Amino acid sequence: MSEIVIYREYLGLDKILGAQEPYSAKNDKDGNPRTPIHDEHLFIVVHQGNELWFKQMIFELDSIRRLFENSRVGKVGNGLDMLATTSRLERIVLIWKLVIEQTAMLDTMPPGTFMQFRVFLGEASGADSHQFRLIENKLGLRTAFMTNENPKTKQTQYKDKFEGEERKALEIAVEETTLLQHVEKWLENITGLDNFIEQFRNVVKTMPANDAAQWESITDKEQHEKLRTAGDRRLSWRAYLAALCINLLRNQQEYQQPFKLLSLLIDIDCMLAKWRSSKSSILLL
């Protein structure tokens, strides 16, 4: 019979519940007691909770990337374990919603309260979350856009805030195949894509000249690649058309789960932007 552990030990509650140590409750450098700031405890709990959820998101992201790595490329639905992939992506979306709602708890602090203990953080900010940066890397966010927006130091590459093992982990995450790259490869090889491209081009040819011109950047590979080089598009030409194919044919049974997968990725992108916005409201970013 396996060893039975009690609830507190199983969850490691002694470590978790003992990790809230407001700096305003500690003595200053001369040993003099400070006056504790009540809302600093809430601030710590909210951010520690966020970090726990970030850890779970990384766990889910890594598992999804493995699902793509182990899939048989070339099938719309059967090559990839769509149920597991979409279920875990949906879980990430729900976690983001929870993190955003949890962060909104900080709105209960009276105006200016944060600034009373902000001094203890120095130049630290939400951009210092190593796990958040890992999530960005694993998703496939462009590193050129990942900066630390600090008016004193000006914009610097996000990795400049980290050293040692943390910086190494970020660099490894960049070198690994990102979720976006996995999705791109999967899209490029979906069944029936070449037939869709041919039919779609034929439809565009039947359009009036003015209407057809609006689709040229999609049907013409060279124009697409120019936009991609300029940074206006991320996906390859084939992957871009595959996403269009899935969107247009989403009511067909074989494309319903792929459409759900793409929709969940868009949801994650929206949640990421919304979370950043919520953080900026309290001057963390």
mmCIF file with all atom_site columns, all heavy atoms in Angstrom, residues 5-16:
data_model
loop_
_atom_site.group_PDB
_atom_site.id
_atom_site.type_symbol
_atom_site.label_atom_id
_atom_site.label_alt_id
_atom_site.label_comp_id
_atom_site.label_asym_id
_atom_site.label_entity_id
_atom_site.label_seq_id
_atom_site.pdbx_PDB_ins_code
_atom_site.Cartn_x
_atom_site.Cartn_y
_atom_site.Cartn_z
_atom_site.occupancy
_atom_site.B_iso_or_equiv
_atom_site.pdbx_formal_charge
_atom_site.auth_seq_id
_atom_site.auth_comp_id
_atom_site.auth_asym_id
_atom_site.auth_atom_id
_atom_site.pdbx_PDB_model_num
ATOM 1   N N   . VAL A 1 5  ? -0.457 10.544 2.634  1.00 0.00 ? 5  VAL A N   1
ATOM 2   C CA  . VAL A 1 5  ? -0.039 11.843 3.144  1.00 0.00 ? 5  VAL A CA  1
ATOM 3   C C   . VAL A 1 5  ? -1.279 12.672 3.431  1.00 0.00 ? 5  VAL A C   1
ATOM 4   O O   . VAL A 1 5  ? -2.335 12.484 2.828  1.00 0.00 ? 5  VAL A O   1
ATOM 5   C CB  . VAL A 1 5  ? 0.861  12.595 2.138  1.00 0.00 ? 5  VAL A CB  1
ATOM 6   C CG1 . VAL A 1 5  ? 2.147  11.840 1.915  1.00 0.00 ? 5  VAL A CG1 1
ATOM 7   C CG2 . VAL A 1 5  ? 0.136  12.795 0.818  1.00 0.00 ? 5  VAL A CG2 1
ATOM 8   N N   . ILE A 1 6  ? -1.130 13.589 4.340  1.00 0.00 ? 6  ILE A N   1
ATOM 9   C CA  . ILE A 1 6  ? -2.259 14.437 4.688  1.00 0.00 ? 6  ILE A CA  1
ATOM 10  C C   . ILE A 1 6  ? -2.345 15.606 3.695  1.00 0.00 ? 6  ILE A C   1
ATOM 11  O O   . ILE A 1 6  ? -1.395 15.916 2.980  1.00 0.00 ? 6  ILE A O   1
ATOM 12  C CB  . ILE A 1 6  ? -2.149 14.970 6.133  1.00 0.00 ? 6  ILE A CB  1
ATOM 13  C CG1 . ILE A 1 6  ? -0.893 15.845 6.297  1.00 0.00 ? 6  ILE A CG1 1
ATOM 14  C CG2 . ILE A 1 6  ? -2.138 13.820 7.123  1.00 0.00 ? 6  ILE A CG2 1
ATOM 15  C CD1 . ILE A 1 6  ? -0.810 16.507 7.668  1.00 0.00 ? 6  ILE A CD1 1
ATOM 16  N N   . TYR A 1 7  ? -3.491 16.229 3.679  1.00 0.00 ? 7  TYR A N   1
ATOM 17  C CA  . TYR A 1 7  ? -3.788 17.324 2.739  1.00 0.00 ? 7  TYR A CA  1
ATOM 18  C C   . TYR A 1 7  ? -2.713 18.398 2.765  1.00 0.00 ? 7  TYR A C   1
ATOM 19  O O   . TYR A 1 7  ? -2.211 18.821 1.729  1.00 0.00 ? 7  TYR A O   1
ATOM 20  C CB  . TYR A 1 7  ? -5.149 17.918 3.125  1.00 0.00 ? 7  TYR A CB  1
ATOM 21  C CG  . TYR A 1 7  ? -5.606 19.102 2.317  1.00 0.00 ? 7  TYR A CG  1
ATOM 22  C CD1 . TYR A 1 7  ? -6.259 18.941 1.094  1.00 0.00 ? 7  TYR A CD1 1
ATOM 23  C CD2 . TYR A 1 7  ? -5.418 20.408 2.791  1.00 0.00 ? 7  TYR A CD2 1
ATOM 24  C CE1 . TYR A 1 7  ? -6.697 20.026 0.369  1.00 0.00 ? 7  TYR A CE1 1
ATOM 25  C CE2 . TYR A 1 7  ? -5.858 21.499 2.064  1.00 0.00 ? 7  TYR A CE2 1
ATOM 26  C CZ  . TYR A 1 7  ? -6.497 21.308 0.852  1.00 0.00 ? 7  TYR A CZ  1
ATOM 27  O OH  . TYR A 1 7  ? -6.933 22.392 0.143  1.00 0.00 ? 7  TYR A OH  1
ATOM 28  N N   . ARG A 1 8  ? -2.318 18.837 3.947  1.00 0.00 ? 8  ARG A N   1
ATOM 29  C CA  . ARG A 1 8  ? -1.356 19.940 4.085  1.00 0.00 ? 8  ARG A CA  1
ATOM 30  C C   . ARG A 1 8  ? -0.002 19.565 3.506  1.00 0.00 ? 8  ARG A C   1
ATOM 31  O O   . ARG A 1 8  ? 0.642  20.361 2.824  1.00 0.00 ? 8  ARG A O   1
ATOM 32  C CB  . ARG A 1 8  ? -1.228 20.317 5.563  1.00 0.00 ? 8  ARG A CB  1
ATOM 33  C CG  . ARG A 1 8  ? -0.396 21.571 5.809  1.00 0.00 ? 8  ARG A CG  1
ATOM 34  C CD  . ARG A 1 8  ? -0.321 21.926 7.295  1.00 0.00 ? 8  ARG A CD  1
ATOM 35  N NE  . ARG A 1 8  ? 0.280  23.228 7.502  1.00 0.00 ? 8  ARG A NE  1
ATOM 36  C CZ  . ARG A 1 8  ? -0.392 24.368 7.510  1.00 0.00 ? 8  ARG A CZ  1
ATOM 37  N NH1 . ARG A 1 8  ? -1.701 24.345 7.308  1.00 0.00 ? 8  ARG A NH1 1
ATOM 38  N NH2 . ARG A 1 8  ? 0.215  25.516 7.704  1.00 0.00 ? 8  ARG A NH2 1
ATOM 39  N N   . GLU A 1 9  ? 0.421  18.323 3.749  1.00 0.00 ? 9  GLU A N   1
ATOM 40  C CA  . GLU A 1 9  ? 1.710  17.879 3.236  1.00 0.00 ? 9  GLU A CA  1
ATOM 41  C C   . GLU A 1 9  ? 1.664  17.697 1.718  1.00 0.00 ? 9  GLU A C   1
ATOM 42  O O   . GLU A 1 9  ? 2.607  18.051 1.005  1.00 0.00 ? 9  GLU A O   1
ATOM 43  C CB  . GLU A 1 9  ? 2.112  16.567 3.904  1.00 0.00 ? 9  GLU A CB  1
ATOM 44  C CG  . GLU A 1 9  ? 2.439  16.701 5.390  1.00 0.00 ? 9  GLU A CG  1
ATOM 45  C CD  . GLU A 1 9  ? 2.754  15.360 6.027  1.00 0.00 ? 9  GLU A CD  1
ATOM 46  O OE1 . GLU A 1 9  ? 2.499  14.317 5.374  1.00 0.00 ? 9  GLU A OE1 1
ATOM 47  O OE2 . GLU A 1 9  ? 3.252  15.353 7.156  1.00 0.00 ? 9  GLU A OE2 1
ATOM 48  N N   . TYR A 1 10 ? 0.569  17.118 1.238  1.00 0.00 ? 10 TYR A N   1
ATOM 49  C CA  . TYR A 1 10 ? 0.436  16.858 -0.191 1.00 0.00 ? 10 TYR A CA  1
ATOM 50  C C   . TYR A 1 10 ? 0.546  18.142 -1.005 1.00 0.00 ? 10 TYR A C   1
ATOM 51  O O   . TYR A 1 10 ? 1.175  18.176 -2.061 1.00 0.00 ? 10 TYR A O   1
ATOM 52  C CB  . TYR A 1 10 ? -0.912 16.176 -0.462 1.00 0.00 ? 10 TYR A CB  1
ATOM 53  C CG  . TYR A 1 10 ? -1.156 15.864 -1.924 1.00 0.00 ? 10 TYR A CG  1
ATOM 54  C CD1 . TYR A 1 10 ? -0.539 14.781 -2.532 1.00 0.00 ? 10 TYR A CD1 1
ATOM 55  C CD2 . TYR A 1 10 ? -2.000 16.671 -2.687 1.00 0.00 ? 10 TYR A CD2 1
ATOM 56  C CE1 . TYR A 1 10 ? -0.758 14.495 -3.867 1.00 0.00 ? 10 TYR A CE1 1
ATOM 57  C CE2 . TYR A 1 10 ? -2.222 16.395 -4.031 1.00 0.00 ? 10 TYR A CE2 1
ATOM 58  C CZ  . TYR A 1 10 ? -1.598 15.309 -4.610 1.00 0.00 ? 10 TYR A CZ  1
ATOM 59  O OH  . TYR A 1 10 ? -1.820 15.038 -5.940 1.00 0.00 ? 10 TYR A OH  1
ATOM 60  N N   . LEU A 1 11 ? -0.065 19.210 -0.520 1.00 0.00 ? 11 LEU A N   1
ATOM 61  C CA  . LEU A 1 11 ? -0.070 20.488 -1.221 1.00 0.00 ? 11 LEU A CA  1
ATOM 62  C C   . LEU A 1 11 ? 1.111  21.386 -0.852 1.00 0.00 ? 11 LEU A C   1
ATOM 63  O O   . LEU A 1 11 ? 1.287  22.452 -1.451 1.00 0.00 ? 11 LEU A O   1
ATOM 64  C CB  . LEU A 1 11 ? -1.370 21.244 -0.945 1.00 0.00 ? 11 LEU A CB  1
ATOM 65  C CG  . LEU A 1 11 ? -2.648 20.578 -1.461 1.00 0.00 ? 11 LEU A CG  1
ATOM 66  C CD1 . LEU A 1 11 ? -3.869 21.408 -1.090 1.00 0.00 ? 11 LEU A CD1 1
ATOM 67  C CD2 . LEU A 1 11 ? -2.594 20.392 -2.977 1.00 0.00 ? 11 LEU A CD2 1
ATOM 68  N N   . GLY A 1 12 ? 1.929  20.965 0.103  1.00 0.00 ? 12 GLY A N   1
ATOM 69  C CA  . GLY A 1 12 ? 3.061  21.788 0.509  1.00 0.00 ? 12 GLY A CA  1
ATOM 70  C C   . GLY A 1 12 ? 2.633  23.134 1.053  1.00 0.00 ? 12 GLY A C   1
ATOM 71  O O   . GLY A 1 12 ? 3.256  24.163 0.776  1.00 0.00 ? 12 GLY A O   1
ATOM 72  N N   . LEU A 1 13 ? 1.551  23.132 1.829  1.00 0.00 ? 13 LEU A N   1
ATOM 73  C CA  . LEU A 1 13 ? 0.975  24.394 2.290  1.00 0.00 ? 13 LEU A CA  1
ATOM 74  C C   . LEU A 1 13 ? 1.892  25.175 3.225  1.00 0.00 ? 13 LEU A C   1
ATOM 75  O O   . LEU A 1 13 ? 1.817  26.400 3.274  1.00 0.00 ? 13 LEU A O   1
ATOM 76  C CB  . LEU A 1 13 ? -0.371 24.128 2.978  1.00 0.00 ? 13 LEU A CB  1
ATOM 77  C CG  . LEU A 1 13 ? -1.495 23.630 2.068  1.00 0.00 ? 13 LEU A CG  1
ATOM 78  C CD1 . LEU A 1 13 ? -2.780 23.473 2.860  1.00 0.00 ? 13 LEU A CD1 1
ATOM 79  C CD2 . LEU A 1 13 ? -1.704 24.588 0.899  1.00 0.00 ? 13 LEU A CD2 1
ATOM 80  N N   . ASP A 1 14 ? 2.744  24.490 3.960  1.00 0.00 ? 14 ASP A N   1
ATOM 81  C CA  . ASP A 1 14 ? 3.652  25.214 4.866  1.00 0.00 ? 14 ASP A CA  1
ATOM 82  C C   . ASP A 1 14 ? 4.544  26.163 4.066  1.00 0.00 ? 14 ASP A C   1
ATOM 83  O O   . ASP A 1 14 ? 4.785  27.306 4.485  1.00 0.00 ? 14 ASP A O   1
ATOM 84  C CB  . ASP A 1 14 ? 4.510  24.222 5.658  1.00 0.00 ? 14 ASP A CB  1
ATOM 85  C CG  . ASP A 1 14 ? 3.696  23.475 6.717  1.00 0.00 ? 14 ASP A CG  1
ATOM 86  O OD1 . ASP A 1 14 ? 2.627  23.988 7.092  1.00 0.00 ? 14 ASP A OD1 1
ATOM 87  O OD2 . ASP A 1 14 ? 4.133  22.394 7.149  1.00 0.00 ? 14 ASP A OD2 1
ATOM 88  N N   . LYS A 1 15 ? 5.045  25.698 2.898  1.00 0.00 ? 15 LYS A N   1
ATOM 89  C CA  . LYS A 1 15 ? 5.894  26.542 2.056  1.00 0.00 ? 15 LYS A CA  1
ATOM 90  C C   . LYS A 1 15 ? 5.077  27.638 1.384  1.00 0.00 ? 15 LYS A C   1
ATOM 91  O O   . LYS A 1 15 ? 5.493  28.805 1.340  1.00 0.00 ? 15 LYS A O   1
ATOM 92  C CB  . LYS A 1 15 ? 6.595  25.693 0.995  1.00 0.00 ? 15 LYS A CB  1
ATOM 93  C CG  . LYS A 1 15 ? 7.630  24.722 1.543  1.00 0.00 ? 15 LYS A CG  1
ATOM 94  C CD  . LYS A 1 15 ? 8.282  23.954 0.406  1.00 0.00 ? 15 LYS A CD  1
ATOM 95  C CE  . LYS A 1 15 ? 9.345  22.982 0.933  1.00 0.00 ? 15 LYS A CE  1
ATOM 96  N NZ  . LYS A 1 15 ? 9.979  22.219 -0.177 1.00 0.00 ? 15 LYS A NZ  1
ATOM 97  N N   . ILE A 1 16 ? 3.915  27.261 0.863  1.00 0.00 ? 16 ILE A N   1
ATOM 98  C CA  . ILE A 1 16 ? 3.105  28.228 0.119  1.00 0.00 ? 16 ILE A CA  1
ATOM 99  C C   . ILE A 1 16 ? 2.575  29.324 1.035  1.00 0.00 ? 16 ILE A C   1
ATOM 100 O O   . ILE A 1 16 ? 2.699  30.517 0.731  1.00 0.00 ? 16 ILE A O   1
ATOM 101 C CB  . ILE A 1 16 ? 1.928  27.513 -0.584 1.00 0.00 ? 16 ILE A CB  1
ATOM 102 C CG1 . ILE A 1 16 ? 2.452  26.548 -1.646 1.00 0.00 ? 16 ILE A CG1 1
ATOM 103 C CG2 . ILE A 1 16 ? 0.976  28.538 -1.215 1.00 0.00 ? 16 ILE A CG2 1
ATOM 104 C CD1 . ILE A 1 16 ? 1.381  25.702 -2.290 1.00 0.00 ? 16 ILE A CD1 1
#
